[in-house]
Amino acid sequence: YPFWLIKAAPHYKPHGSNPNAQTGRSKLQNKRATLNQQIIKQMRMRAGAENLLKATNNNKVKEMVLLELSYVNSDLQLLMGQLEGLNSSMEVYQNTEETANIPLIALGLKETKEIDFSSPFKDFILEHYSEDGRSFEEELADLMDLRQSCRTPSRSEAGVELLASYYSHLPLIESRFFSPTRQNGIFFTWYDSFTGVPVCQQNLLLEKASILFNMAALYSQIGTRSDRQTRVGLEQAIAAFQKAAGVLNLLKETFTHIPSYDMSPAMVSMLIRLMLAQAQQCLFEKMALPGVSNQFYALIRMAQEAAKVSEVFDQVHQFMIQTPIKDNVPLFWSTMSLVKTNHYRSMAHYFVAAALLDHELGPRDDEDQQEKMLSQVYDQLPEGRTPIDILKNKDERKRFGKAHIRRAVSGHEEALRIYSLCEHLTKLEALKDILKASHQRSLEKYSDFENEEEFTDYVDAPDITCKSSEMEVPAATKVKVIDFFQRLGPLAIFSAKQKWTPPRSVRIYPEDRDEGFTLKGESPVQVVSLDPHCQAGDGLKEGDYIVAVGKTDSKWMGVSEVMQLLKDVDEEGTEIQVVSLMDSNPSMPAKSATFCGNLPKTYSMICLAYNDEEKPLKNRKVTKKSSFLSWGMKNKMKSASMLNLPTMDHSGAMSWNKPIPTFPSSSCYNSDSSH
């Protein structure tokens, strides 16, 4: 089954990749985790020094603190440089047999700290749902196993499915355990993928956004790992990069105020363009895989495709050099984008030159068709020249052909120059070989016509326009999961937003087969009216929900099922368990805290004034802020959440242009049927 149709079992046993496996990617992630810890240590030291600097009036102490701050800032710069080096390590993400294609950029996974849900959730189950939290140890273990596996997902569709499963569980967990009126003491910490700076929040927004980011990162790694020497591998790479762009687009549209710069709207917009540009590059490679036919139409078409790749990478480069993105994106990324811009633009000029120099308009050629094709190559020609004049006039054709080959040679030389200036790029021998081979091919073409050139033949080659349309962000599909904690009852009723009385026992003595009350609803059933002349249901209140009949749990039962249990009650009666909704009007809702430390307030990062090893998180005092909106999910028999994941539509029935649905969506099931 495709992964978006798989339903996770109630006790889902997830499997991530072995975190101790010594693969290139795992080594890279381990180094990233180590650097993250070193960065947070230095930031805590800096925060402490700055606080001391503000608090003291002693000049000698100030001098010592300023000196210490200079050392700490220097160490931070070194650590940031090392992290940038890790983000520039593209070779570990490439296909191991890949030697003939220009390397692609993959996103690294965001790192996070381990979280123990057990104690806080057990306490919440006891206090809020009046049930023994110890009876949910298996479900809690499954949840923590799932999250732990998400820290090291395999670089495959199974890894994406793992992240998607956990992401789909988060709205259910939020509705069950994250009350808008109290905090449960759980802190979610994630590290910025580019700077290593940690972000810590007590709500699930950061958790959801970070999982989405890692799904996009995993798709990008799948794309770079594909075998681009085969048509199937290239199609896989195109689909993976498009899906990465789709997940990033969902992240940008859904989570707009996450205090981590790698997930800011500006950064995510740039990453979307990068993923689509790499998909466009793979599309060009797919067209060129069988070889480029030395025919006029084929050469012109390839020129326009190459020009499109150059254009999209130029747009990516322009994004990357804008402030503040350029301060956070590795220099290697922007340099690589500039190299590709020049390389593919030069290839476009080479193909046009070959079409003009190697082919002449013959009697059997379709003159109108060639004129149409050539007119599509240029937005604007030099004054006095038209496409048909270039095609028919042999000298004019050569002038323009030589002009294009000159631009191809100079463009390849510029790509090689930029390549040589970047330390991390020079480690990519395959890229160097490709750039040199392309340059040499253009030089050879130029040398074939060099002796014929005279000064009067000189003309500037016009820019080449693109043919391909923009890569579209694909539409989304859905993933279903089953609520780990469905034993607590339907999520529409038993959620953290609603406060319930503890279950109370009511003895039922039917009088002439009459229970003395009327029920309605699906699950759980609700008492809607009482017969004042019948004492059978003495002790019940209108609005009560029946959660158990005798020893049978009835939270998920409808009216007919509950009435069937009550049907055979004898004269001795039976006990039922009921709960009532409590009035909950807090004067001030509890607020969510984001910790930050000495960074621009626009994207504050984390409070560095606490130490994980010194003080338990649950005992820490938190500055309260206004809560984020909690999404409730209402289900009929199984609580499920739907995750929008982008996918390729091979049937042709799905439009690429349809808007991506906002996640999460909820379905409300309500029944007015009464018995």
Side-chain angles (χ1 to χ4, degrees):
Y1 293 96
F3 70 87
W4 55 86
L5 295 179
I6 294 176
K7 293 184 178 180
H11 302 303
Y12 181 64
K13 297 297 183 183
H15 295 284
S17 60
N18 182 1
N20 297 319
Q22 293 302 302
T23 63
R25 190 182 69 133
S26 65
K27 290 178 180 178
L28 196 66
Q29 289 297 133
N30 289 336
K31 290 179 182 178
R32 184 192 297 273
T34 301
L35 279 177
N36 287 335
Q37 294 302 318
Q38 293 174 342
I39 288 172
I40 190 173
K41 180 179 178 181
Q42 293 297 321
M43 293 191 70
R44 286 172 176 166
M45 292 176 63
R46 185 173 71 176
E50 290 177 345
N51 290 335
L52 179 58
L53 194 64
K54 295 176 182 178
T56 184
N57 293 322
N58 189 312
N59 290 333
K60 189 171 183 179
V61 172
K62 284 187 176 181
E63 290 178 3
M64 294 175 62
V65 172
L66 288 171
L67 180 61
E68 183 65 27
L69 270 175
S70 67
Y71 290 137
V72 171
N73 287 329
S74 297
D75 290 341
L76 269 174
Q77 289 297 323
L78 290 173
L79 292 172
M80 296 290 188
Q82 292 178 39
L83 188 60
E84 180 180 348
L86 294 183
N87 287 328
S88 302
S89 301
M90 278 201 319
E91 59 275 8
V92 301
Y93 296 114
Q94 309 303 311
N95 186 286
T96 54
E97 300 178 358
E98 189 66 68
T99 57
N101 292 96
I102 297 179
L104 299 165
I105 294 174
L107 300 178
L109 297 176
K110 287 173 68 69
E111 295 288 341
T112 184
K113 288 185 177 181
E114 189 173 349
I115 292 179
D116 183 4
F117 294 105
S118 182
S119 295
F121 282 8
K122 284 180 182 178
D123 292 344
F124 192 86
I125 289 172
L126 179 62
E127 296 171 13
H128 189 82
Y129 297 105
S130 301
E131 295 198 30
D132 186 359
R134 292 174 296 181
S135 66
F136 289 87
E137 286 184 352
E138 187 175 354
E139 288 88 345
L140 289 167
D142 288 341
L143 173 61
M144 289 190 288
D145 286 346
L146 177 58
R147 188 182 190 275
Q148 184 66 18
S149 299
C150 287
R151 298 178 66 184
T152 56
S154 60
R155 188 168 39 170
S156 63
E157 292 286 0
V160 176
E161 178 194 335
L162 184 70
L163 294 174
S165 176
Y166 179 60
Y167 182 80
S168 298
H169 275 291
L170 289 177
L172 308 178
I173 299 301
E174 184 175 40
S175 296
R176 291 286 190 193
F177 298 105
F178 287 80
S179 170
T181 60
R182 57 168 286 186
Q183 296 293 347
N184 54 25
I186 296 177
F187 289 78
F188 298 95
T189 301
W190 287 84
Y191 296 89
D192 190 290
S193 180
F194 298 107
T195 65
V197 175
V199 184
C200 185
Q201 284 189 347
Q202 281 191 282
N203 58 60
L204 280 170
L205 288 180
L206 176 64
E207 185 88 345
K208 294 174 183 176
S210 298
I211 290 296
L212 274 185
F213 185 95
N214 277 0
M215 288 173 63
L218 210 54
Y219 270 129
S220 73
Q221 293 177 18
I222 293 172
T224 57
R225 193 185 188 184
S226 301
D227 182 4
R228 288 151 61 206
Q229 292 302 303
T230 66
R231 183 181 182 85
V232 172
L234 283 166
E235 289 174 350
Q236 290 174 347
I238 293 170
F241 286 122
Q242 284 186 300
K243 290 175 182 178
V247 175
L248 288 168
N249 188 70
L250 180 61
L251 171 61
K252 185 181 75 169
E253 297 295 330
T254 310
F255 305 96
T256 56
H257 299 291
I258 300 300
S260 182
Y261 193 76
D262 56 352
M263 295 187 288
S264 66
M267 181 65 79
V268 174
S269 296
M270 183 278 292
L271 293 176
I272 292 173
R273 286 185 175 269
L274 174 61
M275 295 300 112
L276 293 178
Q278 295 191 138
Q280 196 81 46
Q281 176 185 339
C282 292
L283 178 61
F284 173 82
E285 292 174 359
K286 176 184 171 183
M287 295 178 61
L289 185 64
V292 181
S293 176
N294 190 16
Q295 296 178 351
F296 182 85
Y297 300 112
L299 291 169
I300 293 296
R301 184 186 177 198
M302 291 303 297
Q304 291 179 306
E305 295 294 340
K308 182 62 182 180
V309 179
S310 174
E311 179 188 72
V312 293
F313 274 107
D314 184 47
Q315 293 172 356
V316 171
H317 178 256
Q318 295 303 319
F319 263 82
M320 288 182 177
I321 61 176
Q322 299 297 318
T323 304
I325 295 179
K326 70 176 182 180
D327 298 326
N328 295 279
V329 169
L331 177 63
F332 166 84
W333 287 21
S334 58
T335 308
M336 171 64 86
S337 299
L338 189 57
V339 167
K340 290 183 179 182
T341 299
N342 284 277
H343 172 71
Y344 285 103
R345 182 186 295 134
S346 301
M347 290 187 69
H349 283 288
Y350 174 85
F351 285 129
V352 173
L356 294 175
L357 294 174
D358 295 347
H359 301 277
E360 293 183 1
L361 188 62
R364 297 183 179 180
D365 293 327
D366 189 334
E367 180 180 308
D368 293 337
Q369 183 64 23
Q370 285 202 13
E371 180 186 10
K372 180 180 178 181
M373 287 286 292
L374 192 61
S375 64
Q376 293 175 355
V377 171
Y378 304 120
D379 269 340
Q380 185 176 2
L381 283 170
E383 187 176 353
R385 290 180 169 90
T386 63
I388 192 63
D389 292 336
I390 297 172
L391 290 172
K392 285 187 171 182
N393 189 313
K394 183 177 180 180
D395 293 335
E396 198 73 3
R397 191 167 183 142
K398 282 188 176 181
R399 286 193 191 96
F400 272 84
K402 287 186 287 185
H404 281 293
I405 202 62
R406 282 195 299 269
R407 286 198 62 175
V409 171
S410 62
H412 285 308
E413 289 173 350
E414 179 65 9
L416 282 166
R417 185 189 70 82
I418 297 169
Y419 164 86
S420 65
L421 296 177
C422 182
E423 175 186 358
H424 296 291
L425 270 181
T426 55
K427 298 177 182 177
L428 302 175
E429 292 295 331
L431 175 59
K432 180 181 179 180
D433 294 341
I434 292 171
L435 295 179
K436 282 190 171 182
S438 300
H439 180 232
Q440 184 62 34
R441 182 180 58 183
S442 296
L443 281 175
E444 290 173 358
K445 177 68 69 174
Y446 180 74
S447 64
D448 291 341
F449 297 90
E450 185 178 13
N451 295 332
E452 301 178 14
E453 184 174 0
E454 297 179 3
F455 182 76
T456 54
D457 291 336
Y458 188 86
V459 64
D460 287 327
D463 291 332
I464 298 173
T465 59
C466 312
K467 177 183 179 181
S468 293
S469 58
E470 289 285 344
M471 280 279 183
E472 295 290 342
V473 176
T477 56
K478 301 176 180 180
V479 171
K480 292 184 178 181
V481 295
I482 299 174
D483 186 5
F484 282 131
F485 301 94
Q486 61 176 327
R487 284 199 291 126
L488 291 172
L491 193 57
I493 305 298
F494 300 101
S495 69
K497 292 189 291 186
Q498 302 183 86
K499 185 66 176 176
W500 298 92
T501 62
R504 65 181 191 276
S505 297
V506 176
R507 194 78 182 176
I508 300 296
Y509 299 97
E511 297 179 2
D512 298 327
R513 312 297 298 173
D514 184 7
E515 281 77 12
F517 51 84
T518 305
L519 304 177
K520 80 165 187 177
E522 295 198 354
S523 56
V525 295
Q526 186 179 18
V527 177
V528 291
S529 64
L530 297 171
D531 185 353
H533 302 292
C534 181
Q535 302 299 316
D538 190 25
L540 284 178
K541 300 177 183 177
E542 291 186 357
D544 283 349
Y545 286 90
I546 300 178
V547 296
V549 178
K551 295 183 178 180
T552 304
D553 189 303
S554 62
K555 294 190 190 76
W556 286 97
M557 291 184 179
V559 171
S560 59
E561 294 170 292
V562 172
M563 293 303 295
Q564 185 65 35
L565 292 175
L566 296 173
K567 179 180 179 182
D568 301 324
V569 175
D570 55 23
E571 295 178 355
E572 295 182 0
T574 187
E575 284 192 353
I576 63 173
Q577 298 283 326
V578 296
V579 295
S580 301
L581 184 64
M582 297 174 62
D583 290 333
S584 179
N585 295 310
S587 58
M588 200 65 158
K591 300 178 181 181
S592 171
T594 300
F595 295 110
C596 47
N598 301 325
L599 287 170
K601 292 183 179 180
T602 306
Y603 288 101
S604 56
M605 300 298 176
I606 185 170
C607 177
L608 305 171
Y610 71 91
N611 191 319
D612 299 32
E613 294 76 16
E614 295 175 2
K615 190 174 182 181
L617 291 176
K618 64 190 299 181
N619 296 329
R620 203 174 339 273
K621 292 184 178 180
V622 178
T623 303
K624 296 182 177 180
K625 300 180 183 176
S626 57
S627 64
F628 289 95
L629 178 64
S630 297
W631 289 310
M633 303 288 293
K634 300 185 177 181
N635 299 58
K636 182 176 180 180
M637 289 301 294
K638 294 183 179 179
S639 298
S641 90
M642 311 297 286
L643 165 65
N644 299 315
L645 280 181
T647 183
M648 299 289 291
D649 178 34
H650 300 294
S651 67
M654 187 182 298
S655 171
W656 290 119
N657 296 316
K658 81 173 193 178
I660 293 181
T662 303
F663 179 83
S665 60
S666 61
S667 299
C668 178
Y669 297 91
N670 188 20
S671 174
D672 291 328
S673 62
S674 62
H675 194 291

